[in-house]
Each structure stands twice: as C-alpha cells, then as structure tokens.
C-alpha cells in the first residue's frame, strides 16, 4: 500500500481553538496518540478567524475535512460584541459550513448555560434572558441554534458541556487555576464560600478519549448533548483546604465569609479600579469575579448519559484530588519562571544552571563555548548521507 493511499484512510479534522487548555489537549492527543487514524489541522486565528464567515468558507472549501471540533471561546469578560461574534456567530457559521459539507461538528460548551442545583441533566438549560453574562448568553444561544439546525436541517452535531476544567498546559490563569493561583499567592485570606458547597469538575486529559469515542460512534452521539464531568462532585471548601495543606500554608484561614460581605467588598474594588483609571492606571478584576455567586451555590451535573463512556475511560479512578500534586508542581514551576510567584521558586525549579546564570554568567558563557557549541552530530551525519545520496544520482 502506498503512502498516499494510507493517508487517504486517515480522517481529516479541523480543530478551532487549539491554543487553549481544551483545544491544546485535544490537538496533542490526536497528533500523538492517533496519528494513523486522524490528521488534525489546528489553524491559528490568522489563518482562520471564526468571527469571519468568509474565512470559514474559504478554509473548509480548501481543506475539505471529515469533521470539525470547535473549542474556541471569547474571554469570560469579553464585551457583548466579541462574545456574540466568537461564541455565537462563529459557532453558527461553522455549523452552516459543516451542514453544507455534510460532515460532523463537535462543539465544546459550558456549564454556564445551566442553573444551580444538584444532579442537573442535559435538558435543564437556563431560560435566555438579558441579565445573563455575555459569556453564558452567547453559549446558550449557540446551543439553542445548533439544536434547531439539527432538527430542521439534519446537522450532525454533538455538544459537549464541561464544568470546572483542570489540567496542565493552560497558559492563562483562569477557572480552577485562578483558584490555585490565589491560594499559592496567599491572596485568599479566608474561605469565600459556604460549607459543603458542591461543584462538578472536568478532567481535560480525559476529554480527548471521549471526543475520539464520539467521532467513532456518530449514530449514537449525533444531535446529542453530553456533560463531560468527573463521576463525583467536589466540596469547594475541602478542595481549598487540601490545596492549602499541600502547600503548607496558613492561609486561607478556615473562616467562611458570607456572600453579602463579598458583594460589598467587590463593590468597593470596582470603585477603586475606576478611581485608578483617572490617573492612567489600568487595572481590572479577574474575570472569574463574575462567578463569585457560584462559589456559594451548588452546581453538580448529571453524569448518567456519560456512563457508557466509563468503559473507555483511560483512568477511571483519577480525579481532581489525585491530580493535585502534579498540577501544583506544574503550575508553581510555570508561575515561578514567569516571576508571578516567588515563594516556591527555589523549591520547585532551582538548579545549578539558573544559579550560574544569575551569579556567574561569565563562567557559564565560557563553559558553553568550550563544550556545547559543536554542530549536532546526528544532523551532520544526516546531512552527509543526503549529500552522498545526491552525488550518486
């Protein structure tokens, strides 16, 4: 069988939003775990802007994929126009393109479209209202239109909702990682929640296995919405205290701050940021502050529909607690390198090269010139072989 015919057997997919935590995890999985089965293209926004319908048409017309995965999203605190164009119009225009090409469309959505409560099913969406955040409103509208297109136009789509996502390789400090950062940076003096408030969590490392399964079983998953979450919900206060224990910190103190007091504090912080703007000082509260109310209310998602996936779950016992040690080491190392957190710098990534670079740069430069600037032997050998091959022609 020729190499060209082997390539034709691989399914070609386009992944939108490959630079984020979810998109990046999906791209890494398909390129490293399934190279014989899938060929994944993850164009940057310069090559394909989901906000530009002509970009979508031109790119998909040229590439002609077998499926599209949309993991793109605007920032949580984006204004109405950006949230609408990215989270809603981009989603719909991509769906229109998939419908025209008669290919599958996997759309990543969010628990922000769901009400508070326990064991919330896939059908329990919030009613659309002007008071919703731009993020939640645009995500809810996108899900509604996809369902309408599935019913009226036969769009082959699957919506995958995630809750609080955790995983490595998130270059932004957001979601669960914002919580981890606040504790590590000792900027959370007390517990901004109530006792035993439960939330669902989503393991980013497991998500690609589910998407892979969804792509291989389109009849079962077509025109369906699934919650992708860990089996067991998590008590927020217990998680915070567990992180505190790992880091051997004294803060946050085990004092529960009522939501009324938190709202008052946020009001004064908003006034302060506006006041600083008068002096040309740009300051913004983290976008997660819009979800402070969620820290005081339950939101656990039903995993009943996801139960069939358990048979292909690569690590059924893995959850946020078993992943905490590796997540802490990864992010504290990264934030230390970026000088965002200095408390744990030496503990997590100190080595002799860093010491030499800081205090003995002349000696380090001399030793590198002496031992570490020769051409790579493997590449020299490869270049010689290629040169010899060309001379024999």
């Amino acid at each position: 069988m020729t190499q060209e015919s082997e390539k034709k057997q691989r399914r070609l997919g386009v992944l939108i939003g490959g630079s984020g935590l979810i998109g990046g995890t999906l791209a890494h999985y398909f390129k490293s775990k399934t190279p014989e089965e899938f060929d994944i293209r993850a164009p940057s926004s310069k090559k394909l802007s989901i906000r530009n319908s002509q970009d979508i048409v031109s790119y998909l017309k040229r590439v002609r994929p077998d499926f599209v995965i949309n993991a793109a999203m605007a920032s949580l605190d984006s204004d109405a126009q950006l949230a609408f164009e990215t989270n809603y119009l981009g989603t719909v225009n991509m769906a229109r393109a998939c419908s025209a090409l008669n290919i599958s469309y996997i759309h990543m959505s969010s628990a922000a479209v769901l009400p508070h409560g326990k064991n919330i099913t896939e059908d329990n969406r919030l009613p659309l209202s002007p008071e919703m955040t731009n993020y939640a409103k645009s995500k809810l509208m996108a899900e509604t239109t996809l369902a309408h297109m599935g019913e009226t136009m036969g769009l082959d789509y699957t919506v995958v909702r995630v809750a609080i996502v955790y995983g490595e390789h998130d270059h932004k400090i957001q979601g669960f990682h914002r919580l981890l950062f606040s504790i590590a940076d000792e900027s959370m003096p007390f517990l901004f929640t109530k006792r035993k408030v439960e939330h669902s969590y989503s393991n980013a490392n497991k998500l690609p296995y589910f998407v892979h399964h969804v792509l291989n079983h389109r009849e079962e998953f077509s025109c369906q919405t699934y919650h992708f979450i860990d089996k067991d919900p998590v008590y927020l206060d217990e998680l915070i205290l567990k992180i505190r224990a790992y880091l051997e910190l004294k803060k946050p103190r085990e004092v529960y701050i009522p939501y009324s007091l938190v709202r008052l504090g946020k009001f004064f912080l908003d006034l302060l940021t506006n006041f600083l703007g008068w002096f040309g000082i740009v300051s913004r509260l983290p976008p997660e502050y819009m979800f402070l109310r969620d820290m005081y209310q339950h939101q656990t998602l039903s995993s009943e529909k996801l139960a069939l996936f358990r048979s292909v779950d690569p690590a059924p016992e893995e959850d946020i607690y078993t992943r905490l040690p590796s997540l802490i080491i990864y992010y504290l190392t990264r934030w230390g390198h970026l000088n965002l957190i200095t408390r744990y710098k030496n503990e997590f990534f100190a080595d002799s090269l860093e010491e030499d670079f800081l205090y003995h740069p002349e000696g380090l430069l001399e030793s590198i010139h002496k031992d570490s600037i020769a051409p790579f032997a493997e590449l020299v050998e490869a270049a010689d072989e290629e040169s010899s091959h060309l001379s024999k022609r």
Side-chain angles (χ1 to χ4, degrees):
M1 185 179 292
T2 65
Q3 184 176 2
E4 187 66 26
S5 62
E6 287 179 356
K7 285 184 177 179
K8 287 183 179 178
Q9 289 186 352
R10 300 163 71 197
R11 281 182 283 174
L12 176 60
V14 171
L15 171 64
I16 311 298
S19 62
L21 172 59
I22 290 177
T25 305
L26 286 166
H28 176 73
Y29 170 85
F30 283 112
K31 289 182 179 180
S32 61
K33 302 287 188 182
T34 63
E36 298 83 11
E37 187 178 354
F38 294 100
D39 178 9
I40 296 295
R41 311 285 174 85
S44 67
S45 58
K46 293 181 179 179
K47 290 185 178 180
L48 170 56
S49 172
I50 195 172
R51 298 169 63 193
N52 187 320
S53 60
Q54 192 54 50
D55 269 13
I56 294 173
V57 171
S58 299
Y59 186 85
L60 295 191
K61 186 177 180 181
R62 183 173 71 255
V63 175
R64 298 302 296 269
D66 300 304
F67 61 88
V68 171
I69 302 173
N70 181 15
M73 57 167 274
S75 271
L76 295 176
D77 57 347
S78 295
D79 66 9
Q81 180 177 351
L82 183 58
F84 176 74
E85 291 182 354
T86 304
N87 297 341
Y88 179 67
L89 277 185
T91 296
V92 172
N93 284 330
M94 189 62 71
R96 292 173 65 193
C98 291
S99 180
L101 295 174
N102 196 27
I103 60 177
S104 301
Y105 183 40
I106 313 299
H107 177 67
M108 307 305 304
S109 191
S110 166
V113 306
L114 299 172
H116 294 106
K118 293 190 176 183
N119 203 31
I120 304 164
T121 67
E122 281 79 357
D123 298 326
N124 294 141
R125 293 187 305 192
L126 286 166
L128 186 63
S129 70
E131 291 74 26
M132 300 175 74
T133 65
N134 295 330
Y135 175 75
K137 190 188 305 179
S138 58
K139 284 290 191 181
L140 178 56
M141 290 173 62
E143 284 196 21
T144 304
T145 300
L146 288 182
H148 178 69
M149 291 179 69
E151 293 174 0
T152 61
M153 301 180 184
L155 174 68
D156 177 18
Y157 76 93
T158 302
V159 171
V160 181
R161 285 195 199 121
V162 294
I164 302 172
V165 184
Y166 61 93
E168 290 89 355
H169 311 299
D170 190 1
H171 295 171
K172 301 175 184 177
I173 303 175
Q174 58 186 9
F176 165 74
H177 307 114
R178 172 72 63 184
L179 175 69
L180 176 58
F181 180 86
S182 299
I183 299 171
D185 195 42
E186 298 188 69
S187 56
M188 183 187 291
F190 308 108
L191 297 176
F192 296 100
T193 185
K194 296 190 300 186
R195 294 183 186 274
K196 304 298 183 182
V197 171
E198 286 185 295
H199 294 122
S200 291
Y201 280 72
S202 300
N203 188 333
N205 284 2
K206 292 185 181 184
L207 181 58
Y209 294 89
F210 178 64
V211 173
H212 187 173
H213 186 72
V214 167
L215 289 170
N216 286 340
H217 300 83
R218 290 310 305 146
E219 290 188 6
E220 177 185 351
F221 290 93
S222 184
C223 296
Q224 295 290 320
T225 297
Y226 281 83
H227 292 161
F228 184 81
I229 54 171
D230 291 344
K231 183 179 179 182
D232 298 316
V234 174
Y235 290 122
L236 179 58
D237 56 343
E238 290 185 2
L239 178 60
I240 293 172
L241 295 175
K242 178 67 74 172
I243 295 172
R244 186 190 72 172
Y246 270 119
L247 296 176
E248 298 181 351
L249 297 173
K250 294 182 179 179
K251 294 190 291 187
R253 305 285 184 182
E254 199 170 344
V255 176
Y256 295 81
I257 304 300
Y259 182 62
S260 57
L261 189 58
V262 171
R263 286 183 61 189
L264 182 63
K266 184 177 181 298
F267 172 75
F268 284 112
L269 284 175
D270 287 332
L271 289 179
L272 177 61
T273 55
N274 292 332
F275 176 73
L276 291 175
W278 296 350
F279 299 93
I281 300 174
V282 179
S283 59
R284 298 176 67 184
L285 296 177
E288 286 79 11
Y289 271 55
M290 71 175 67
F291 298 118
L292 271 176
R293 182 181 180 87
D294 296 340
M295 299 179 72
Y296 288 80
Q297 299 190 56
H298 302 285
Q299 193 189 52
T300 64
L301 281 56
S302 169
S303 62
E304 186 176 345
K305 283 185 70 174
L306 189 68
L308 292 176
F309 169 66
R310 303 301 177 196
S311 61
V312 292
D313 188 339
E317 302 304 318
E318 184 176 278
D319 60 16
I320 183 64
Y321 286 115
T322 62
R323 289 287 304 284
L324 263 185
S326 61
L327 288 171
I328 288 173
I329 292 173
Y330 175 85
Y331 281 105
L332 291 191
T333 300
R334 176 177 175 79
W335 294 333
H337 281 308
L338 295 174
N339 282 326
L340 297 175
I341 291 178
T342 58
R343 176 183 177 89
Y344 295 94
K345 185 172 181 178
N346 292 332
E347 177 180 348
F348 281 95
F349 62 89
D351 61 30
S352 59
L353 279 178
E354 183 194 16
E355 294 292 317
D356 289 342
F357 177 72
L358 284 171
Y359 304 113
H360 311 289
E362 300 90 348
L364 178 61
L365 190 65
E366 182 179 347
S367 66
I368 290 177
H369 284 183
K370 181 179 179 180
D371 301 321
S372 304
I373 61 171
F376 287 111
E378 297 90 340
L379 294 180
V380 170
E381 183 179 346
D384 289 343
E385 289 179 358
E386 183 177 356
S387 176
S388 175
H389 179 71
L390 290 174
S391 64
K392 291 179 180 178
R393 288 186 175 181

